Structures are given as structure tokens and as C-alpha cells.
Amino acid sequence: MEQDILIRIIELLGTFAFAISGIRHAAAKHFDWFGGYICGIAVAIGGGTFRDVMLGTTPFWMTTPIYMICTAIALLTVVFFGRWMEPLKNAWFVFDTLGLALFTIAGIQKSLALGQPFWVAIIMGCITGSAGGVIRDVLLNNEPVIFHKEIYAMACVLGGTVYWALADFGLPVELTAVISFCTTCLIRFLAVRYHLSLPTLKNP
């Protein structure tokens, strides 16, 4: 029961953070309110939907309207407080990173709760964290960020690996989730701050 509650809280926080990120990108393209909501919901539920379908369970957002409501709150937050948020230089990047880390943990924990092995859980965590951003970029006609050399999905994989290692040590699930969350965020922040990236493919 405690695990289910923790997953629900993480999914709600991730939904809000990712919805803010998606709506912000829609605003940059001058979408209307409905278009912004669609982009927000695509980011917020896209990765989790892929995960749940692959795990053979009902997509999480179909069990309660709270995720739709959460995205609507994110839309209103951007509409009414966007002008105060915009001057915060890295606010949007921070929201995107927080959503990435939160959804990665939610994907790992749900996969483990359904009896999947850890290597599958890490893949599901990566899909949960990054697939929504791919859908957003496709809707906005942008090149998906995970195809760039910038570290994005790899932060999910490394954060999930830390979760696996800490769980093997027998740490409480709450502490494991917090450390994994911080690791994913730190990797993403450092990668952008110091321009760290994976090698790019060369066309011979």
C-alpha cells in the first residue's frame, strides 16, 4: 500500500512538471490554450501509456481523472504566472529535468511492483521518462531531443542503475527513490552545464 501511494505521488509530481514543460514549448510555437493542453497531456501521459501497454496493464491515466486535472492546473499556471516564470532563466529546463527523473522512478517502481526483473524495470523507467518528450517534439515538428548528442535518456538509464544498486544493498524504497531522483537530475544538469555528450555517429 505504501509503495502504491508513493508511485501515485511521484506520478502526479511528474505529470505536473512534464505538463509545464510541454505547455511551455507549445507557447513558444504560439499554440492556443487547447493546443497547449494537448502538448502538455502528451508529455505527461505519453511515456507512462507506452509503459503500461507494454506491461499489459491499464494505462495509469485511465483509472482516475486526476492526471487530466493536474495538466489543466499546469496550463493555468503557465497562462497566469508565465510572465513571472519566464525571467527565471532555467526554470523550464528544471521542470523538464524534474519530470524526467520523477517519471523514471515511477516507471521502475511500477515495473517492479508488477514482478518484472530489474533490467526490464530500467528500460521501462527510461521509456516512462523520455517517450512523452518524443511525442511532444513530433507534435511540435521538432527533432526529438533523445536523438541529439545531449544526454537525456541516458540520464534515465544511469539513474535506474543507481536505483538497482541501492535496492540490492537493501536500502528503504523511499531513500532509494530520493537518491535515484537526485542522481538522474544531477547527471542531466552536469551534462548541460559542461556540454557533456555521447559520441556522435559519423557518416563514412
Side-chain angles (χ1 to χ4, degrees), residues 7-170:
I7 292 174
R8 179 60 61 86
I9 292 173
I10 290 173
E11 284 183 335
L12 285 174
L13 291 174
T15 297
F16 184 77
F18 258 8
I20 288 278
S21 171
I23 294 165
R24 174 257 169 176
H25 281 83
K29 293 275 190 175
H30 304 292
F31 282 25
D32 62 16
W33 286 22
F34 181 74
Y37 183 83
I38 294 301
C39 284
I41 202 69
V43 181
I45 71 172
T49 301
F50 277 125
R51 174 203 64 208
D52 290 344
V53 169
M54 294 176 72
L55 292 175
T57 186
T58 302
F60 69 103
W61 58 270
M62 296 177 67
T63 61
T64 171
I66 189 63
Y67 300 100
M68 302 299 175
I69 296 171
C70 187
T71 303
I73 294 172
L75 174 65
L76 295 176
T77 300
V78 173
V79 168
F80 293 109
F81 301 104
R83 69 173 68 179
W84 290 280
M85 298 171 70
E86 190 62 36
L88 300 177
K89 196 170 183 181
N90 296 314
W92 304 121
F93 167 71
V94 170
F95 275 116
D96 189 65
T97 300
L98 294 178
L100 182 73
L102 288 167
F103 270 18
T104 297
I105 295 169
I108 291 172
Q109 291 185 330
K110 187 163 189 177
S111 300
L112 294 176
L114 292 173
Q116 297 295 330
F118 249 114
W119 67 272
V120 173
I122 292 175
I123 294 173
M124 292 297 106
C126 183
I127 290 174
T128 308
S130 60
V134 174
I135 298 173
R136 174 202 64 206
D137 292 338
V138 170
L139 289 175
L140 296 173
N141 198 29
N142 294 329
E143 183 180 4
V145 68
I146 66 168
F147 297 151
H148 298 175
K149 62 179 182 178
E150 180 181 300
I151 290 178
Y152 190 78
M154 279 303 300
C156 304
V157 174
L158 295 174
T161 302
V162 169
Y163 192 108
W164 185 356
L166 294 177
D168 274 351
F169 277 114

Side-chain angles (χ1 to χ4, degrees), residues 181-203:
F181 168 82
C182 292
T183 300
T184 304
C185 289
L186 183 62
I187 292 171
R188 178 86 171 120
F189 289 144
L190 291 177
V192 172
R193 173 64 178 82
Y194 294 104
H195 307 290
L196 304 176
S197 65
L198 296 174
T200 57
L201 292 171
K202 304 296 182 182
N203 183 4

